[in-house]
Amino acid sequence: MITPRFTVDQDEEFLHIDIKISNIRFSAQAIEMVVNENLFVFSLPPYYLRLRFSCNLIEDERAHSEFVSKEEKIRIRIPKLNKGEVFPDLDLTAKLLARMNEPTAVSASTIEQNKQRGPLIQEMDDSPAGTQDGNIDQNQRNLMQIEQEATNFNWEVEQKLPDLVPPTSASSDGGQSTQKQKYGFNDQYSDMIEVSLSNGNDINDLSAPETMTADDRVMERLIKENIKFDPEYYANDYLTLKYMPDETALTSVLKWKSPYKKLFLKFQKENKSQEDNGTVSSGPQVPEVTFDEKEQTLMRDLPNKSYFIEDPRPLYYTLISILYAYFYELRSNEGDLTVESGWTVETLIL
């Protein structure tokens, strides 16, 4: 998600928010706006903006929005809950973008406390803790602790306005060269994709993957998707499915039932039966998943590495993309993977 540039002004009755967008083709139906007391949320993929004000707003028939094509911006007018109330600090973007209970200025002592507290994800000791029953109890306590931490975790996305000027670094000849960017798991990699471009990389469509920021990558991908989009292709699939369902594979694809869905429904049924009998155990309830011999062999061959991650959100977002791409491929082939499955999954993730 990209945090767009914006300005906020006010008069006696309204807040006026101008949101700058560019280089994307969008439909008005794709825009979502939410007003909840002092919180305003704007969503137009890939743009996302969350503003938290000092005073309350109200969403009624006076609210209005329009797209100004010449200025590439969306103008939004939102009524104030109390007419004549003055909203302070509308020019302090960092304060408006701050997450819930997040201070806009961090003291040196707070930074030092965060360092001493350590990363959010740490390596746990998996040594035996005693008897088998003791291990089970410990696992349940660990799951309950993780569940509590997830409940208390601030899941609001951190917002950061894009830089007006791309980051640069001094080159050997005294000029300026574009700074190398990191990517991959936990932003640990660089200089790995550009080599494959000369060999006709069919997965990565970025023109300069080593020097583009994360927001620039998203924007270029969307621009190329808009250029490639062919409405006649999807109209043909829709009309064929509607009027000649026997002549398309989409019918069987849509009716295919995922084994993971069957597993989850079975778990729900068993859990409901235990609730009716009053035999549900305490702690988080999760479906029991078993791995076959091939899967266990693959997991044993994985390298043993430890990672210390300060912000896990990007990893969670990537995990969602991987799961979506994998289940899309499963449904497309009705449970069977093909030689092109790797290409499909990686393309959807990127």
Side-chain angles (χ1 to χ4, degrees):
M1 291 178 290
I2 299 175
T3 303
R5 297 195 170 278
F6 67 95
T7 58
V8 184
D9 201 356
Q10 65 179 319
D11 57 28
E12 186 177 354
E13 188 175 358
F14 299 98
L15 273 191
H16 301 274
I17 305 174
D18 288 355
I19 300 177
K20 179 75 173 178
I21 63 173
S22 60
N23 300 324
I24 65 169
R25 180 179 62 186
F26 68 91
S27 170
Q29 287 79 9
I31 299 177
E32 294 184 12
M33 289 182 287
V34 178
V35 176
N36 184 12
E37 296 183 348
N38 68 330
L39 183 67
F40 169 74
V41 177
F42 169 86
S43 175
L44 174 62
Y47 294 110
Y48 175 84
L49 180 65
R50 182 191 63 247
L51 302 177
R52 185 171 279 108
F53 300 99
S54 302
C55 307
N56 289 343
L57 302 165
I58 185 172
E59 187 175 12
D60 57 23
E61 66 279 357
R62 295 174 295 164
H64 176 73
S65 64
E66 64 174 335
F67 174 59
V68 184
S69 58
K70 292 183 178 180
E71 301 179 20
E72 292 188 321
K73 67 172 58 175
I74 295 179
R75 288 179 176 171
I76 303 170
R77 183 185 68 195
I78 308 175
K80 297 179 179 179
L81 178 61
N82 301 313
K83 184 177 179 179
E85 189 172 22
V86 178
F87 283 52
D89 302 330
L90 295 183
D91 56 339
L92 300 180
T93 57
K95 183 176 181 180
L96 298 178
L97 293 172
R99 294 179 291 172
M100 185 181 297
N101 301 325
E102 179 181 58
T104 55
V106 182
S107 63
S109 59
T110 302
I111 296 176
E112 185 61 29
Q113 291 176 1
N114 290 337
K115 289 182 179 179
Q116 294 177 0
R117 191 178 296 119
L120 295 175
I121 298 180
Q122 301 185 36
E123 184 177 12
M124 304 296 292
D125 183 11
D126 57 356
S127 57
T131 64
Q132 184 177 1
D133 293 339
N135 288 335
I136 295 175
D137 293 340
Q138 183 62 40
N139 291 335
Q140 290 181 343
R141 286 194 293 270
N142 290 339
L143 286 172
M144 294 178 67
Q145 180 181 359
I146 293 172
E147 184 180 39
Q148 185 62 40
E149 290 177 356
T151 302
N152 298 332
F153 192 73
N154 186 358
W155 289 99
E156 285 194 344
V157 178
E158 184 179 4
Q159 302 180 108
K160 183 179 179 182
L161 290 173
D163 297 328
L164 286 174
V165 180
T168 59
S169 59
S171 60
S172 58
D173 59 0
Q176 296 290 323
S177 61
T178 306
Q179 184 178 359
K180 291 288 185 179
Q181 299 293 322
K182 298 285 188 178
Y183 46 77
F185 182 84
N186 203 29
D187 284 338
Q188 293 181 315
Y189 303 95
S190 64
D191 297 320
M192 300 189 68
I193 300 179
E194 195 168 21
V195 179
S196 63
L197 295 181
S198 58
N199 298 326
N201 188 340
D202 292 331
I203 295 178
N204 172 60
D205 291 331
L206 299 176
S207 57
E210 302 296 343
T211 57
M212 299 179 71
T213 64
D215 290 347
D216 290 337
R217 296 172 205 156
V218 173
M219 185 59 66
E220 181 172 328
R221 174 179 60 81
L222 290 172
I223 293 173
K224 291 183 175 179
E225 286 179 358
N226 285 335
I227 294 173
K228 291 181 179 178
F229 181 79
D230 183 2
E232 294 183 359
Y233 178 87
Y234 295 95
N236 177 69
D237 279 349
Y238 171 75
L239 294 174
T240 303
L241 180 63
K242 184 174 182 179
Y243 297 105
M244 296 178 290
D246 296 334
E247 299 184 15
T248 176
L250 288 175
T251 304
S252 59
V253 168
L254 294 174
K255 291 182 178 180
W256 179 76
K257 296 186 181 299
S258 169
Y260 299 102
K261 181 179 181 180
K262 295 178 181 178
L263 176 65
F264 184 73
L265 292 176
K266 178 182 178 182
F267 161 76
Q268 281 188 320
K269 183 178 180 180
E270 294 176 350
N271 198 41
K272 182 66 167 58
S273 176
Q274 292 178 356
E275 288 180 352
D276 295 339
N277 297 331
T279 58
V280 178
S281 58
S282 60
Q285 302 297 312
V286 295
E288 182 180 357
V289 179
T290 58
F291 300 99
D292 57 31
E293 184 177 352
K294 181 180 179 181
E295 291 170 332
Q296 293 178 5
T297 302
L298 290 173
M299 288 188 291
R300 283 196 300 267
D301 293 338
L302 291 174
N304 186 15
K305 293 184 179 180
S306 298
Y307 298 96
F308 296 94
I309 301 165
E310 292 294 339
D311 186 3
R313 289 182 184 85
L315 304 183
Y316 295 145
Y317 303 151
T318 304
L319 181 60
I320 293 173
S321 298
I322 293 174
L323 289 173
Y324 168 80
Y326 174 71
F327 284 115
Y328 169 86
E329 180 64 10
L330 276 185
R331 178 164 294 278
S332 298
N333 295 284
E334 300 182 44
D336 295 326
L337 299 180
T338 69
V339 292
E340 295 185 354
S341 294
W343 180 90
T344 303
V345 171
E346 291 182 29
T347 300
L348 290 174
I349 295 173
L350 294 175

